[in-house]
Amino acid sequence: MKSSSLVELALSAQGCTQKELALQLRVSPAQISKWKKGEHISFEMSKKLSELAGLGDLDPDVVLLAGSKEDAKKWVQLIHYLADLSEDSAETGYHTAPLIEDLGDDNCSLFWNTFRVLQEMGITIPRPFPKELEACIADDDEDEVIWDNEIASLIYDMFKSLTNVYGFYAAFVSDLVYDEELDLIDTPAWELDSELLSLAASKLDLDESKIPGFSRFKNKVKSEVAKMVTYLKERAFRAGIPLRAELMDLVFDSHDELGRAAEAHSLGFDQNRLHPDIYMNELLTGMRVIHQVLPALIKKLGIEDEFELDTSELRLG
């Protein structure tokens, strides 16, 4: 999307036509049209368009969503502030990487992902930037303003949920995703960490009468993440790598439950515990072997007609 956003913002900032913009960049008008449709753009041309649009370090997609460069800067400040607030109050024992990384990056991934998730939930980014929130980004003592503003409080709740979801992911899942033995690059499981903010948002208890698209969003996210986790579990099982938790809890448990599990792990309460699924799989494998071998043994002994299983001996007293 960035190439089309860059072209649109450059055209607006320069007040020129596509043909005039093409002359400035020494490319064909057809190339401008291709970029406007989303075709990949080189770093050099991206930089030139960004300079013409006067973006500085701002993400062009965020600027378009916010409505102006000034409002984009305010959203960046607010999201940075809410990320810091959420991370400072996290209790899992793990740092929430998405909240503390890339904040100074030109890509502004956290800001873009936050806007993307809000849009997928069916929420429109307010324009212009809510005036009452300007005090929040200017003064650290204005926390109460957040709780009175629906979108700011929602973003904060998303980030708080993310600290718990990411804590569980860091404790039980990430080592598997990046395990070289599993070689998960370009597999469904490799995309798991990029869906964690969406997953965190899906775990919120929201008023669906106010956000009609939330139910559809929640079901879609859970379905997609469940497929990723299932794939990861299958690969781990085939490789004989034990699990220390039921990974599907990431999908179906509440964010509070995930946070408690992560905290327990960070404190070492379950360091020697393997998840029962591992033992159950071993038992099932053994049972399948017995199921295949036993009939052959009975036939070999010639007792297939007289053998009868006494199930009463299998019942617990």
Side-chain angles (χ1 to χ4, degrees):
M1 183 176 176
K2 281 187 172 59
S3 61
S4 60
S5 300
L6 278 169
V7 170
E8 186 173 339
L9 291 169
L11 288 170
S12 176
Q14 295 296 310
C16 64
T17 64
Q18 288 188 202
K19 186 175 181 180
E20 290 168 338
L21 182 61
L23 288 172
Q24 290 189 59
L25 296 174
R26 297 183 179 180
V27 298
S28 68
Q31 184 60 65
I32 298 292
S33 295
K34 290 178 181 178
W35 287 336
K36 201 169 182 180
K37 292 177 181 178
E39 184 181 272
H40 174 73
I41 188 170
S42 69
F43 175 78
E44 181 184 358
M45 282 300 175
S46 177
K47 187 176 180 181
K48 287 182 178 179
L49 281 169
S50 183
E51 289 173 353
L52 289 173
L55 293 180
D57 291 341
L58 290 171
D59 185 298
D61 292 338
V62 174
V63 172
L64 277 185
L65 282 171
S68 70
K69 290 181 287 186
E70 291 72 23
D71 280 354
K73 290 176 182 178
K74 293 172 184 176
W75 280 113
V76 166
Q77 284 182 276
L78 177 65
I79 290 175
H80 194 165
Y81 174 77
L82 295 174
D84 285 343
L85 201 62
S86 303
E87 178 64 8
D88 288 346
S89 60
E91 299 177 346
T92 65
Y94 292 90
H95 291 301
T96 313
L99 295 182
I100 60 179
E101 294 178 356
D102 300 326
L103 287 176
D105 195 316
D106 289 356
N107 291 323
C108 302
S109 58
L110 176 61
F111 314 120
W112 169 242
N113 285 337
T114 301
F115 280 175
R116 173 185 61 80
V117 172
L118 289 171
Q119 286 187 310
E120 289 179 356
M121 292 167 66
I123 295 172
T124 302
I125 307 301
R127 296 183 183 181
F129 183 83
K131 193 169 183 62
E132 66 272 16
L133 291 177
E134 293 183 9
C136 178
I137 60 179
D139 188 343
D140 287 349
D141 295 329
E142 296 291 339
D143 288 358
E144 66 274 7
V145 177
I146 296 173
W147 323 132
D148 294 332
N149 182 277
E150 290 186 359
I151 193 157
S153 61
L154 174 56
I155 293 173
Y156 176 75
D157 288 343
M158 283 168 52
F159 289 172
K160 280 296 295 177
S161 176
L162 180 62
T163 64
N164 289 326
V165 170
Y166 193 87
F168 186 92
Y169 174 80
F172 303 111
V173 184
S174 62
D175 284 350
L176 293 172
V177 172
Y178 296 105
D179 191 312
E180 292 183 0
E181 184 179 352
L182 293 181
D183 189 22
L184 295 173
I185 296 176
D186 295 329
T187 71
W190 190 252
E191 302 297 325
L192 187 54
D193 63 346
S194 66
E195 290 300 315
L196 294 180
L197 183 58
S198 295
L199 183 63
S202 76
K203 293 181 180 296
L204 298 178
D205 184 17
L206 302 180
D207 185 347
E208 296 186 19
S209 65
K210 293 183 178 180
I211 309 175
F214 182 67
S215 180
R216 178 185 54 79
F217 164 80
K218 179 167 58 177
N219 293 333
K220 177 175 177 289
V221 170
K222 284 188 175 182
S223 174
E224 291 177 351
V225 176
K227 291 176 184 177
M228 296 175 184
V229 174
T230 298
Y231 184 89
L232 177 61
K233 287 183 63 176
E234 289 174 352
R235 289 288 289 266
F237 174 65
R238 289 174 192 166
I241 299 177
L243 308 180
R244 294 193 177 275
E246 169 47 69
L247 302 191
M248 203 58 77
D249 288 349
L250 182 67
V251 181
F252 297 110
D253 277 9
S254 71
H255 69 85
D256 286 328
E257 291 171 322
L258 296 179
R260 286 193 290 270
E263 183 180 19
H265 188 270
S266 72
L267 294 173
F269 291 161
D270 61 354
Q271 291 301 312
N272 297 317
R273 181 170 67 89
L274 295 180
H275 190 267
D277 272 3
I278 295 299
Y279 300 114
M280 182 60 72
N281 283 325
E282 291 176 354
L283 286 170
L284 289 173
T285 299
M287 290 170 64
R288 291 188 187 106
V289 171
I290 292 172
H291 183 72
Q292 293 175 31
V293 173
L294 187 58
L297 287 175
I298 292 174
K299 187 175 182 180
K300 185 76 173 177
L301 294 171
I303 59 173
E304 64 268 27
D305 293 332
E306 56 190 81
F307 178 79
E308 184 176 347
L309 181 65
D310 184 358
T311 58
S312 64
E313 297 294 327
L314 301 179
R315 298 191 184 98
L316 294 176

